[in-house]
Amino acid sequence: MLNKKQIRYCLDVMAEMFPDAKGELIHSNPFELVIAVLLSAQCTDKLVNKVTAHLFLKYKEPEDYLAVSLEELQQDIRSIGLYRTKAKNIQKLCKVLIDEYNGEVPRTKEELMTLAGVGRKTANVVASIAFGEPAIAVDTHVERVSKRLGICRWKDSVIEVEETLMRKVPREEWSVTHHRIIFFGRYHCKARNPNCLECPLLELCREGKKRVKNV
């Protein structure tokens, strides 16, 4: 496991590698962000952006999603994985926004997690990007990189990874660290072919050392 000084070094290196890391889902307001993040489960941001480019022209408010049939909404997001379930959740989410929040997206993670299709990761992303609340959302990239580097344990659950990162990363750096780790995992420390030989963190990385040794 990495110590505090080593973790600081990792964060600084990622900051140098990806100084402009930020969320890649295109949106113009918190409501669009909620829809985009919900659609992004088990799906690439690139595909979601392709779908929402048309979706957000047709649907502007929660009421718009309820004004069409479930079947029509499903057709509009058909190219996205799990589109049937996601369409149902979007309509349920919109109904709750109208009935309980005056059509506005709630600002707290706790309230966000009461919405259909919104889990801990989605709530953290929305709270962080839309409302500037410090948060570390643990997606597949954050979990993989944290475990490979030895910031977290291999056996840690997603919640344990989040709690460990929140303890080990300064609060004011939570949101930007989330984005930088995602970029590091998406473009460098990939799931199948991590770029270990050219990685500036190789000397600290337990997984990287194993992989290089076996090359």
Side-chain angles (χ1 to χ4, degrees):
M1 298 292 285
L2 299 186
N3 60 38
K4 195 172 181 180
K5 187 177 177 183
Q6 291 170 320
I7 292 171
R8 180 71 263 166
Y9 178 74
C10 290
L11 298 180
D12 291 342
V13 167
M14 288 182 199
E16 286 176 19
M17 291 175 73
F18 303 105
D20 302 317
K22 60 183 180 181
E24 295 187 298
L25 290 170
I26 298 169
H27 64 282
S28 58
N29 55 57
F31 177 58
E32 288 186 355
L33 179 61
V34 170
I35 299 298
V37 180
L38 188 154
L39 291 173
S40 73
Q42 297 179 40
C43 183
T44 65
D45 289 358
K46 190 175 179 181
L47 177 56
V48 172
N49 287 335
K50 191 175 175 184
V51 170
T52 57
H54 304 287
L55 194 73
F56 292 160
L57 291 176
K58 180 175 179 178
Y59 303 94
K60 306 284 188 184
E61 307 287 341
E63 290 84 356
D64 298 334
Y65 287 95
L66 296 175
V68 301
S69 67
L70 178 61
E71 290 71 27
E72 183 175 341
L73 179 55
Q74 287 175 343
Q75 286 303 311
D76 287 337
I77 62 170
R78 190 184 176 88
S79 58
I80 284 181
L82 306 174
Y83 71 93
R84 288 189 178 88
T85 301
K86 289 176 181 177
K88 284 179 189 173
N89 282 334
I90 286 171
Q91 289 195 329
K92 285 181 190 172
L93 177 152
C94 288
K95 189 168 188 324
V96 172
L97 287 182
I98 293 166
D99 292 347
E100 298 182 25
Y101 297 103
N102 297 316
E104 298 291 324
V105 175
R107 300 178 73 93
T108 71
K109 286 182 266 191
E110 292 72 27
E111 288 174 314
L112 285 163
M113 285 173 66
T114 66
L115 302 175
V118 177
R120 194 178 183 91
K121 184 200 86 171
T122 300
N124 275 325
V125 170
V126 175
S128 171
I129 296 176
F131 303 120
E133 185 179 335
I136 296 180
V138 179
D139 70 351
T140 180
H141 300 297
V142 173
E143 181 178 10
R144 181 176 69 254
V145 170
S146 299
K147 290 181 176 181
R148 279 181 175 173
L149 281 170
I151 297 173
C152 302
R153 300 170 301 177
W154 285 113
K155 64 178 182 178
D156 283 352
S157 66
V158 170
I159 291 177
E160 286 171 328
V161 170
E162 181 186 330
E163 290 172 345
T164 298
L165 288 170
M166 286 166 70
R167 280 199 315 274
K168 295 184 176 182
V169 175
R171 180 181 170 84
E172 64 273 15
E173 294 180 40
W174 284 358
S175 294
V176 72
T177 294
H178 153 74
H179 292 304
R180 285 170 181 163
I181 295 179
I182 286 176
F183 271 51
F184 187 81
R186 184 177 287 160
Y187 302 113
H188 182 77
C189 187
K190 298 175 184 178
R192 291 186 181 173
N193 296 302
N195 195 7
C196 299
L197 288 170
E198 295 177 22
C199 184
L201 299 179
L202 179 59
E203 285 306 308
L204 294 179
C205 182
R206 59 184 180 184
E207 176 70 11
K209 286 176 185 172
K210 275 188 216 165
R211 285 174 178 267
V212 169
K213 195 175 177 182
N214 293 331
V215 170

Coordinates of all heavy atoms in Angstrom, one line a residue, residues 33 107 109 112 121-137 174-176 178-179:
L33 N -27.3 16.9 -17.2 CA -26.2 16.1 -16.7 C -26.7 14.8 -16.0 O -26.2 13.7 -16.2 CB -25.4 16.9 -15.7 CG -24.2 16.2 -15.0 CD1 -23.2 15.7 -16.0 CD2 -23.6 17.1 -14.0
R107 N -29.9 19.3 -4.9 CA -28.4 19.6 -4.8 C -27.6 18.6 -4.0 O -26.4 18.6 -4.2 CB -28.2 21.0 -4.3 CG -28.9 22.1 -5.1 CD -28.7 23.5 -4.5 NE -27.3 23.9 -4.7 CZ -26.9 24.7 -5.7 NH1 -27.8 25.1 -6.7 NH2 -25.7 25.1 -5.8
K109 N -26.3 15.0 -2.4 CA -26.1 13.6 -2.8 C -27.2 12.7 -2.3 O -27.6 11.8 -3.0 CB -24.7 13.1 -2.3 CG -23.5 13.7 -3.1 CD -22.2 13.1 -2.7 CE -21.6 14.0 -1.6 NZ -20.2 13.7 -1.4
L112 N -30.3 13.2 -4.3 CA -30.1 12.7 -5.7 C -30.2 11.2 -5.7 O -30.8 10.6 -6.7 CB -28.7 13.1 -6.2 CG -28.5 14.6 -6.6 CD1 -27.0 14.9 -6.7 CD2 -29.2 14.8 -7.9
K121 N -22.5 6.6 -7.5 CA -21.6 7.2 -8.4 C -22.2 8.4 -9.2 O -21.6 9.5 -9.2 CB -21.1 6.2 -9.4 CG -20.0 6.7 -10.4 CD -20.0 5.9 -11.7 CE -21.0 6.4 -12.7 NZ -20.8 5.8 -14.0
T122 N -23.4 8.2 -9.7 CA -24.1 9.3 -10.4 C -24.4 10.5 -9.5 O -24.2 11.6 -9.9 CB -25.5 8.7 -10.9 OG1 -25.2 7.7 -11.8 CG2 -26.2 9.8 -11.7
A123 N -24.8 10.2 -8.3 CA -25.0 11.3 -7.3 C -23.8 12.1 -7.1 O -23.8 13.4 -7.1 CB -25.6 10.8 -6.0
N124 N -22.6 11.5 -6.9 CA -21.4 12.1 -6.7 C -21.0 13.0 -7.9 O -20.5 14.1 -7.8 CB -20.2 11.1 -6.4 CG -20.2 10.7 -4.9 OD1 -20.5 11.5 -4.1 ND2 -19.9 9.5 -4.7
V125 N -21.1 12.4 -9.1 CA -20.8 13.1 -10.3 C -21.6 14.4 -10.5 O -21.1 15.5 -10.7 CB -21.0 12.2 -11.6 CG1 -20.9 13.1 -12.9 CG2 -20.0 11.1 -11.6
V126 N -22.9 14.3 -10.3 CA -23.8 15.4 -10.4 C -23.5 16.5 -9.4 O -23.5 17.7 -9.7 CB -25.3 15.0 -10.4 CG1 -26.2 16.2 -10.4 CG2 -25.6 14.1 -11.6
A127 N -23.4 16.0 -8.1 CA -23.1 17.0 -7.0 C -21.8 17.7 -7.3 O -21.7 19.0 -7.0 CB -23.1 16.2 -5.7
S128 N -20.8 17.0 -7.8 CA -19.5 17.6 -8.0 C -19.5 18.6 -9.2 O -19.1 19.7 -9.1 CB -18.5 16.5 -8.3 OG -17.3 17.1 -8.7
I129 N -20.0 18.1 -10.4 CA -19.9 18.9 -11.6 C -21.0 20.0 -11.6 O -20.7 21.1 -12.0 CB -20.1 18.0 -12.8 CG1 -18.9 17.0 -12.9 CG2 -20.2 18.8 -14.1 CD1 -18.9 16.0 -14.0
A130 N -22.2 19.6 -11.3 CA -23.3 20.6 -11.4 C -23.3 21.6 -10.3 O -23.7 22.8 -10.5 CB -24.7 19.9 -11.5
F131 N -23.0 21.2 -9.1 CA -23.1 22.1 -7.9 C -21.8 22.4 -7.1 O -21.9 23.0 -6.1 CB -24.2 21.4 -6.9 CG -25.5 21.2 -7.6 CD1 -26.0 19.9 -7.7 CD2 -26.2 22.3 -8.2 CE1 -27.3 19.7 -8.3 CE2 -27.4 22.0 -8.8 CZ -28.0 20.8 -8.9
G132 N -20.7 21.9 -7.7 CA -19.4 22.2 -7.0 C -19.2 21.6 -5.7 O -18.4 22.1 -4.9
E133 N -19.9 20.6 -5.3 CA -19.7 19.9 -4.0 C -18.5 18.9 -4.1 O -18.5 18.1 -5.1 CB -21.0 19.2 -3.6 CG -20.9 18.6 -2.2 CD -22.2 17.8 -1.8 OE1 -23.2 18.2 -2.4 OE2 -22.1 16.9 -1.0
P134 N -17.6 19.0 -3.2 CA -16.4 18.1 -3.3 C -16.9 16.6 -3.2 O -17.7 16.3 -2.4 CB -15.6 18.4 -2.0 CG -16.0 19.8 -1.7 CD -17.5 20.0 -2.1
A135 N -16.5 15.8 -4.2 CA -16.9 14.4 -4.2 C -15.9 13.6 -5.1 O -15.3 14.2 -6.0 CB -18.3 14.3 -4.8
I136 N -15.8 12.4 -4.7 CA -15.0 11.4 -5.5 C -16.0 10.3 -6.0 O -16.4 9.5 -5.2 CB -13.8 10.8 -4.8 CG1 -12.8 11.9 -4.4 CG2 -13.1 9.8 -5.6 CD1 -11.6 11.5 -3.6
A137 N -16.3 10.4 -7.2 CA -17.2 9.3 -7.8 C -16.3 8.1 -8.3 O -15.4 8.3 -9.0 CB -18.0 9.9 -9.0
W174 N -10.7 16.6 -4.1 CA -11.6 15.5 -4.4 C -12.1 15.5 -5.9 O -11.9 14.5 -6.6 CB -12.8 15.4 -3.5 CG -12.4 14.9 -2.1 CD1 -11.2 14.5 -1.7 CD2 -13.3 14.8 -1.0 NE1 -11.2 14.2 -0.3 CE2 -12.5 14.3 0.1 CE3 -14.7 15.0 -0.8 CZ2 -13.1 14.1 1.3 CZ3 -15.2 14.8 0.4 CH2 -14.5 14.3 1.5
S175 N -12.7 16.5 -6.3 CA -13.4 16.5 -7.6 C -12.4 16.5 -8.7 O -12.6 15.7 -9.7 CB -14.3 17.8 -7.7 OG -15.4 17.7 -6.8
V176 N -11.3 17.3 -8.7 CA -10.4 17.3 -9.8 C -9.6 16.0 -9.8 O -9.2 15.5 -10.9 CB -9.4 18.5 -9.7 CG1 -8.4 18.4 -8.5 CG2 -8.7 18.7 -11.0
H178 N -10.8 13.0 -9.0 CA -11.8 12.1 -9.6 C -11.6 12.2 -11.2 O -11.4 11.1 -11.8 CB -13.2 12.5 -9.2 CG -14.3 12.1 -10.2 ND1 -14.7 10.8 -10.4 CD2 -15.0 12.9 -11.0 CE1 -15.6 10.8 -11.3 NE2 -15.8 12.0 -11.7
H179 N -11.6 13.4 -11.7 CA -11.4 13.5 -13.2 C -10.1 13.1 -13.7 O -9.9 12.4 -14.7 CB -11.7 15.0 -13.6 CG -13.1 15.4 -13.4 ND1 -14.2 14.7 -14.0 CD2 -13.6 16.4 -12.7 CE1 -15.3 15.3 -13.6 NE2 -15.0 16.3 -12.8

